[in-house]
Amino acid sequence: AAEGAEDDPVRFTPLRGAGLADAADRLAAEIGAGRMGDVDYARIHRAWESVQADPARFTAFADSVRAKGAAACLHPSGSRDLPVRAARHDLVVRQVRLGTVTDAERNPYARRGTGLALGPEVLGTSLLAVGPPGAGKTARLVRPVVESLALQALAGQAAVIAVGAPGTQLGPDEAYDVVVRIGDPASVHDLDLYGGTADPDEAATLLAEAFVGDVPVIDVRRAATALAQLLGPFRAAYGRFPTVPELRELLDQVPAAVGMLREDLQGAGQYAMLRELDARERQYGAHGDPGPLLADRVALLDRPVFAGSFDTTGQNRMFSLSFLEHPLRVRIDLPERAHADASRMLARLLLAQFTHSAAARADRSLFAFLAFDDASATLTPQTVRGVQRLRSAHAGVLLTLRTLEDVPEGLRTPLLGAVGCRMAFSGVTTWDGKRFAEAWGTEWVETRDVTSRDVYADQAFTRMVNAFRKLVTGKAVTTDAVTVRQVERERWSASDLAHAVPPGCAVLSLTTVRGERAAPLLVELAG
């Protein structure tokens, strides 16, 4: 019993072993008095892990625990929990419960009736969910997962970004540290189009992916070069990147805008950047020049409703995806209803910036996660490759689609291969089901074939008995031959996915970041 008491998590044994018995007693008393929640417990353990990684934090940690108890090492927001929870969470193992594995015959016997939960261990391989409107993707998947990562952010373990349309039920504003409402003048924060980078080539690559990455006939690298030929000179002249109207004028080669930039570069002695500007001027209007298309795409953002939403002059508070090294909770509302084309372009930009920023982090101790409530027209060849690389960067994405038809045909198979977790909701079409069936592959099953054949007797007495039995029963005397064999069968066929998944359920397969795989399971999702 004494040994068990020493191993009791509420005793904070690691702190006692480090000479902080008084701090451990203070925390144990907080638990006994009911003043410590699950977020507090996870946050203090996370802080202790950081002390072990950097002993210079030891004194600050000890002083904070002695002074504040369960409120020690608070998240910068000062919050110790979310205003409301819509799902069941276990912060000790960092999981959120999605539902229960059904008693269906296709599910392994050992898994039937067990709970199913998601955590960073599997979300780190990214998740793709497909289902028609009303299938429950937002309420039963996106909201619980975002909520779980938001709780982990309060514990200093994660950074989460949720992207959806205004009014999407992803939690109240109070559950987030940053809420970016694109196109809303009342929005406190604006979005940094350039992802927080100071490198013109890097910014140009991300913008090109967002602006023309969905156009097959346009070379994204050439578009990135065209943008860099303007962003570099502009930053060299003014120390910042252009605003949306300024970028549009430069792409359209408006004489006044280009002339003023040229004069400022000459005055600053930036002759290398002058050559870049000259190269852009020579290429403008040539065959295959992406400049006019880029100008048209930028024009989608150069609307009165977006005035100030992408300010680069430092007048407004900007959110950048380069902040992923901090435990932030962020929600970005895209104006999908009124400005669908601009929203899709911004969604592509966010995904491109996230895959780049998550992989470029110097400190990857935080789990970074991006959740799209609707990822239609968001994916490009480059971002699909970026999603695949996230698992080695301690990051992941959640992508939901109404149908795989919302993804270019050439990307459907690569997308299913890039994500480790795949989820098909009730009501998917047989066309979508076929893609999932191919991704999940086949399995060997044992089948029993029973063949009946009439019995023909050689002896007269036996023939007489058989004739009498046939006269009485009306059936010929037969014998059964049983054949047992192993056959290869689809784990879930396209027809089964389209017609055999009950409402409120989904078929889900999981892969961990270590490569462990779980066969697709039919899960009844929590309401």
Side-chain angles (χ1 to χ4, degrees):
E3 183 178 354
E6 289 295 329
D7 293 339
D8 192 341
V10 302
R11 284 181 51 81
F12 295 91
T13 304
L15 272 66
R16 299 179 187 277
L20 296 178
D22 55 342
D25 290 338
R26 172 72 189 274
L27 295 176
E30 295 278 78
I31 292 178
R35 292 191 294 267
M36 180 180 288
D38 55 352
V39 176
D40 298 326
Y41 185 85
R43 187 186 65 252
I44 291 173
H45 270 275
R46 165 67 178 174
W48 177 245
E49 290 175 359
S50 69
V51 169
Q52 292 176 306
D54 183 4
R57 303 177 181 177
F58 183 89
T59 302
F61 171 82
D63 293 343
S64 179
V65 171
R66 292 189 186 104
K68 301 178 182 178
C73 310
L74 273 182
H75 183 267
S77 67
S79 300
R80 297 171 59 183
D81 201 351
L82 297 179
V84 62
R85 297 191 186 189
R88 293 176 57 187
H89 304 274
D90 186 341
L91 291 183
V92 175
V93 292
R94 301 174 64 182
Q95 292 182 346
V96 55
R97 183 185 178 96
L98 281 192
T100 305
V101 180
T102 68
D103 292 330
E105 182 181 352
R106 286 186 177 274
N107 288 331
Y109 182 80
R111 293 300 311 272
R112 297 176 189 175
T114 61
L116 188 137
L118 299 180
E121 188 71 10
V122 295
L123 292 174
T125 64
S126 299
L127 191 155
L128 172 68
V130 179
K137 300 187 297 296
T138 301
R140 301 184 180 188
L141 174 63
V142 181
R143 171 73 184 273
V145 168
V146 169
E147 189 175 271
S148 175
L149 272 298
L151 289 170
Q152 293 176 43
L154 290 178
Q157 299 170 333
V160 59
I161 302 170
V163 182
T168 303
Q169 299 301 314
L170 296 178
D173 293 355
E174 295 77 16
Y176 295 91
D177 304 309
V178 176
V179 178
V180 181
R181 296 185 176 89
I182 306 297
D184 186 351
S187 178
V188 177
H189 292 85
D190 296 337
L191 179 66
D192 187 354
L193 283 181
Y194 303 99
T197 182
D199 185 345
D201 294 319
E202 188 177 307
T205 300
L206 297 175
L207 285 177
E209 194 65 37
F211 291 161
V212 298
D214 61 326
V215 184
V217 298
I218 295 294
D219 186 352
V220 176
R221 290 175 296 182
R222 189 171 181 181
T225 301
L227 284 167
Q229 289 170 339
L230 296 174
L231 298 182
F234 194 96
R235 184 170 181 83
Y238 305 113
R240 62 175 177 86
F241 287 123
T243 62
V244 170
E246 290 169 339
L247 180 58
R248 181 184 181 185
E249 289 180 346
L250 292 174
L251 286 169
D252 278 331
Q253 291 290 295
V254 175
V258 176
M260 182 179 297
L261 178 56
R262 184 182 301 279
E263 291 177 3
D264 291 335
L265 288 172
Q266 289 174 344
Q270 295 283 352
Y271 300 110
M273 291 302 174
L274 276 171
R275 288 194 295 271
E276 286 281 276
L277 194 61
D278 291 338
R280 175 89 292 268
E281 193 170 7
R282 288 194 303 270
Q283 295 167 9
Y284 181 76
H287 177 70
D289 176 37
L293 178 58
L294 288 170
D296 290 342
R297 290 300 177 90
V298 173
L300 295 174
L301 303 180
D302 189 20
R303 304 289 301 161
V305 68
F306 297 131
S309 292
F310 314 108
D311 180 63
T312 62
T313 61
Q315 298 178 3
N316 300 327
R317 300 175 64 181
M318 301 291 292
F319 168 72
S320 167
L321 270 78
S322 62
F323 299 156
L324 291 177
E325 294 185 0
H326 304 282
L328 286 173
R329 303 165 295 162
V330 182
R331 195 187 75 215
I332 301 176
D333 294 343
L334 300 180
E336 296 180 0
R337 297 180 181 86
H339 303 274
D341 291 336
S343 294
R344 295 190 191 102
M345 192 166 64
L346 291 172
R348 288 194 296 272
L349 178 63
L350 289 170
L351 183 56
Q353 289 184 352
F354 178 83
T355 56
H356 174 79
S357 298
R361 291 180 299 168
D363 180 7
R364 297 181 178 180
S365 59
L366 293 181
F367 178 65
F369 196 73
L370 174 66
F372 276 101
D373 183 60
D374 183 5
S376 302
T378 300
L379 294 150
T380 65
Q382 183 61 34
T383 52
V384 169
R385 288 190 289 269
V387 167
Q388 194 169 22
R389 292 192 293 265
L390 287 177
R391 66 179 65 187
S392 62
H394 199 207
V397 296
L398 167 58
L399 307 171
T400 66
L401 297 169
R402 298 182 180 90
T403 172
L404 285 172
E405 300 294 325
D406 292 334
V407 178
E409 185 174 359
L411 292 181
R412 294 168 195 168
T413 299
L415 174 61
L416 286 167
V419 298
C421 305
R422 309 176 187 99
M423 193 171 187
F425 278 77
S426 172
V428 298
T429 64
T430 52
W431 294 273
D432 289 343
K434 181 181 179 181
R435 296 282 184 176
F436 278 97
E438 292 174 350
W440 283 326
T442 59
E443 62 181 345
W444 289 97
V445 297
E446 185 180 279
T447 62
R448 296 169 60 89
D449 295 330
V450 180
T451 304
S452 298
R453 61 181 181 84
D454 293 340
V455 175
Y456 298 97
D458 295 332
Q459 299 180 1
F461 178 75
T462 305
R463 287 197 299 270
M464 182 181 67
V465 172
N466 289 346
F468 179 74
R469 289 175 60 184
K470 182 177 182 180
L471 180 65
V472 173
T473 63
K475 298 180 180 179
V477 178
T478 61
T479 184
D480 292 339
V482 180
T483 303
V484 180
R485 58 179 178 172
Q486 296 283 332
V487 298
E488 200 172 10
R489 187 186 68 182
E490 289 181 324
R491 298 179 186 273
W492 278 86
S493 69
S495 179
D496 289 337
L497 288 170
H499 305 294
V501 180
C505 297
V507 180
L508 171 65
S509 67
L510 301 175
T511 303
T512 69
V513 291
R514 295 190 303 270
E516 300 167 337
R517 297 178 181 274
L521 301 171
L522 179 61
V523 180
E524 183 179 1
L525 301 173

